[in-house]
Amino acid sequence: MKQQSGHSQEMKREHTILTKVIGFIGTDKYDFISCIAKVLSEMQMKVLLVDYTTMRSLMSTIPDYIQGQTMEYQNIFYLGDPKIGEIQNLIQQKEYDFILMDFDYSCGRRDVFLCENIVFFTDLQRHHMEALEGMKLPSSMNKYMVFRMELLNKTASTYLRQVIQSMGILKDHAFYLKWGTKEKQNQIRCQYQFEIPWKRTASSMRKIVWSLVKEWVMKPNEEKEISVVFGS
C-alpha cells in the first residue's frame, strides 16, 4: 500500500504535540468516521482508525484487511482488534495525530476510557438511546450526540431533548443528520467500492463533520483556507 513521504510526515508533526483520541459509540457510523478521517488526512494529519465493533464494519471499508494488523489505505491507517495496551502505547509514542475508535453500544472495552472526546451516533430507536443513557463515562470527557433521522415526530423530538439533557450534552454538541436514499447509497458505497463518499455526501453530514473537525483541530487563521477546499 502507498507509503507517505518523510516530508509529509514532518508537516503532520507540526500540527499537534499530543495524540487526540476520539471514540464513536453507536451503530452503522463507519461512513461518518471515514469522512472525518478523510478531512483530517487532507489537513495533513496522520490518522488511525481503530475498529472495536463486533461486525468489523469499519475495517470492511478497506480491501483485504487483516485483523490485528495496521494497514494503510488512501493515506489513512486502519487497525482492527488491537492487542491489550497497544493503543495506549501508540498514544505515548505520539505515532498519530488522531486516533478515532469505533465502538458498539457499549463501553465494555477499556480503551474507551482513553478518549478525550466521545461522539454518540445513534438512530432513533429507543432501546439504542436507552443503552447510551445508561453508560457511565467520566464527566471530564467532551460528549457529542449525532442523531440519524429518517422520520421524526413530536413525541420522539421531546424524548430526544430529554436524552440530551440527561446525558449532560451541550445544546451545540447535539446534531441531527438527515438520513435518506442518498445517504444509504453512500454508506453501501463505502464498503463495496471502498470509497470515502465525502464529495457525494449530503450537506447535513458535511456540516456536522466540519463542525466537529473545526472544534478539534482548527486554528482561526486556517478556517477560511480549508473551508474553501472542502466546500463548507
Side-chain angles (χ1 to χ4, degrees):
M1 294 184 178
K2 182 180 178 182
Q3 298 297 317
Q4 297 175 341
S5 68
H7 176 69
S8 177
Q9 292 195 16
E10 286 178 7
M11 289 178 59
K12 292 176 181 182
R13 304 323 310 164
E14 294 176 359
H15 281 273
T16 56
I17 298 175
L18 300 176
T19 298
K20 295 186 179 181
V21 186
I22 302 170
F24 296 79
I25 299 177
T27 185
D28 291 338
K29 54 205 174 301
Y30 51 86
D31 56 327
F32 181 75
I33 298 173
S34 297
C35 284
I36 290 177
K38 173 69 173 178
V39 174
L40 291 173
S41 176
E42 292 293 336
M43 294 173 69
Q44 302 302 315
M45 301 289 177
K46 188 175 181 181
V47 184
L48 174 67
L49 305 187
V50 183
D51 193 341
Y52 287 102
T53 65
T54 304
M55 303 302 293
R56 298 292 180 254
S57 56
L58 185 57
M59 294 301 291
S60 296
T61 63
I62 64 173
D64 304 321
Y65 67 87
I66 301 173
Q67 286 300 107
Q69 179 175 316
T70 303
M71 306 185 71
E72 182 183 359
Y73 183 67
Q74 297 184 350
N75 296 325
I76 299 171
F77 294 83
Y78 296 78
L79 175 61
D81 195 24
K83 298 176 183 177
I84 296 175
E86 186 171 0
I87 301 303
Q88 189 166 13
N89 289 337
L90 290 175
I91 295 171
Q92 293 171 349
Q93 294 165 10
K94 304 177 184 177
E95 177 72 13
Y96 299 93
D97 294 293
F98 276 85
I99 297 178
L100 310 181
M101 302 199 290
D102 189 5
F103 299 93
D104 291 318
Y105 281 96
S106 168
C107 55
R109 296 271 190 167
R110 292 184 60 85
D111 283 354
V112 75
F113 296 100
L114 298 174
C115 301
E116 57 187 285
N117 299 288
I118 289 289
V119 179
F120 300 104
F121 190 100
T122 183
D123 55 25
L124 299 186
Q125 296 188 59
R126 183 158 181 160
H127 59 281
H128 284 158
M129 287 186 283
E130 288 178 346
L132 297 181
E133 281 189 283
M135 290 183 183
K136 304 298 181 184
L137 295 172
S139 59
S140 58
M141 288 182 178
N142 297 314
K143 300 179 180 67
Y144 306 82
M145 177 71 81
V146 179
F147 293 109
R148 194 180 72 182
M149 301 190 306
E150 292 187 56
L151 182 64
L152 185 64
N153 58 36
K154 185 175 181 180
T155 302
S157 180
T158 300
Y159 179 64
L160 296 188
R161 288 195 295 270
Q162 294 173 352
V163 170
I164 293 169
Q165 184 176 10
S166 68
M167 294 179 67
I169 295 173
L170 301 176
K171 185 177 180 180
D172 59 354
H173 284 184
F175 302 94
Y176 300 89
L177 176 61
K178 175 187 174 183
W179 193 251
T181 301
K182 181 178 180 180
E183 289 72 31
K184 293 176 183 177
Q185 291 174 343
N186 283 341
Q187 190 175 67
I188 295 299
R189 184 180 291 110
C190 198
Q191 286 191 333
Y192 282 86
Q193 298 180 17
F194 309 119
E195 174 190 336
I196 297 175
W198 174 253
K199 292 183 179 179
R200 296 174 180 265
T201 195
S203 60
S204 59
M205 180 179 287
R206 293 170 70 92
K207 288 178 181 178
I208 296 170
V209 168
W210 185 239
S211 294
L212 293 174
V213 168
K214 284 196 293 185
E215 182 155 343
W216 294 333
V217 304
M218 291 298 295
K219 297 176 183 178
N221 62 342
E222 293 177 323
E223 180 171 345
K224 183 177 179 180
E225 177 183 353
I226 303 298
S227 65
V228 170
V229 174
F230 294 105
S232 298

